[in-house]
Amino acid sequence: MKLRVFQKPDKSYDIEVLDPQATIQDYLDAINYFIETTMEPPCRGCDECCWERIPLTSIDALTYVEKLAEQLDLEKNWPLLSFLKDYCYIYVEGPVVDISLGYTLEGACGFLNQEERICSNYMARSLVCQSFVCLESSEQAQELRSQLVNAGMDELVRLWLIQSQQAGQKPFMHEQHQAAPCLEDYPVNAFTGKVGYGQVLLKDVCTPELWGQIFRASDQ
Ligand code: SF4
Ligand code: SF4
């Protein structure tokens, strides 16, 4: 076991990494295992978690493009840019860029089938959706989730800026206030060049401080 997700006496959940080679996919698998085996019921199907902002990582967006390009009718030459424009929400304030999944006027995720209360693209759910546990979390579990999402979104912003440049387009934004996004603010990171969560090591994303809190050498 490379990673353990467990419930604390106060009913919140926590995370412990046992192997320095643990990847984000191991993290997602451990969360999924925890939900399936510990939570009763695993999900009440209320769909409340699909009415929140869903920030995206580069791997989320590349997975949507790879798995759903035809279904989403993405533009062939620049499918990632087409996905970001038609299915996401790009908000820019000064140098800061935020990219999330698009949502309806009422505020539901664009991929939520509201009648049946199910995700219409369950197999390509984003990191935030896959790592959502319907419980309070420890501070370090929360911090891990947010560091993964932030690094992944930084890489997505980098791809958006680079590909817009390559396509000879101005970076498309849905909303902006004195937008001044700059490629230098988005250097390569652990997500760069990766297309699956099994390729990204947790230790390459976490700050040393967080890694020190969540890593416990395994005696197995
Ligand atoms: S995981 Fe989401 S849909 Fe399931 S019970 Fe929790 S909030 Fe509701
Ligand atoms: S992608 Fe699916 S699981 Fe995630 S918020 Fe949207 S509808 Fe819900």
Side-chain angles (χ1 to χ4, degrees):
M1 194 197 307
K2 293 182 176 173
L3 195 140
R4 200 166 77 89
V5 180
F6 57 97
Q7 200 160 15
K8 301 205 298 185
D10 66 1
K11 300 285 182 207
S12 65
Y13 80 93
D14 203 357
I15 281 175
E16 199 170 65
V17 182
L18 306 172
D19 184 332
Q21 295 306 307
T23 64
I24 299 181
Q25 189 59 55
D26 293 320
Y27 160 76
L28 295 174
D29 290 346
I31 294 229
N32 201 37
Y33 181 77
F34 171 78
I35 292 172
E36 292 296 328
T37 58
T38 315
M39 294 183 60
E40 192 53 54
C43 166
R44 291 174 281 108
C46 69
D47 85 11
E48 269 174 31
C49 53
C50 301
W51 289 75
E52 294 176 8
R53 172 182 154 267
I54 306 293
L56 285 181
T57 71
S58 55
I59 292 177
D60 292 337
L62 292 170
T63 303
Y64 278 117
V65 167
E66 193 210 321
K67 294 201 170 157
L68 305 172
E70 273 190 27
Q71 182 185 324
L72 301 180
D73 195 23
L74 301 178
E75 202 255 304
K76 292 218 167 24
N77 290 337
W78 300 99
L80 179 65
L81 296 180
S82 167
F83 173 71
L84 293 174
K85 182 174 176 193
D86 294 341
Y87 294 94
C88 300
Y89 195 82
I90 303 174
Y91 176 85
V92 186
E93 188 160 337
V96 179
V97 183
D98 181 88
I99 304 180
S100 54
L101 268 182
Y103 43 84
T104 63
L105 284 177
E106 310 103 298
C109 170
F111 286 144
L112 176 67
N113 177 330
Q114 288 187 46
E115 254 174 45
E116 299 188 23
R117 291 185 159 181
I118 53 172
C119 176
S120 59
N121 289 312
Y122 191 80
M123 297 314 287
R125 281 172 310 142
S126 65
L127 176 66
V128 162
C129 304
Q130 291 191 60
S131 62
F132 181 77
V133 182
C134 209
L135 283 177
E136 290 295 314
S137 61
S138 69
E139 267 183 38
Q140 60 193 34
Q142 196 175 3
E143 183 60 23
L144 173 64
R145 191 163 174 249
S146 82
Q147 288 192 11
L148 296 177
V149 172
N150 289 343
M153 190 188 297
D154 282 354
E155 174 60 14
L156 181 55
V157 173
R158 210 176 73 82
L159 290 176
W160 166 68
L161 288 170
I162 289 175
Q163 291 197 11
S164 299
Q165 209 172 45
Q166 290 169 340
Q169 303 170 5
K170 237 177 123 200
F172 178 83
M173 304 165 200
H174 296 89
E175 185 178 349
Q176 61 91 16
H177 301 279
Q178 299 182 323
C182 179
L183 194 52
E184 285 75 51
D185 293 336
Y186 297 91
V188 297
N189 68 21
F191 276 74
T192 305
K194 311 288 169 51
V195 294
Y197 285 118
Q199 300 173 330
V200 186
L201 296 181
L202 290 174
K203 73 172 160 54
D204 290 343
V205 182
C206 294
T207 59
E209 189 191 358
L210 176 61
W211 184 250
Q213 291 168 347
I214 61 174
F215 179 62
R216 311 262 181 286
S218 171
D219 50 11
Q220 293 168 30

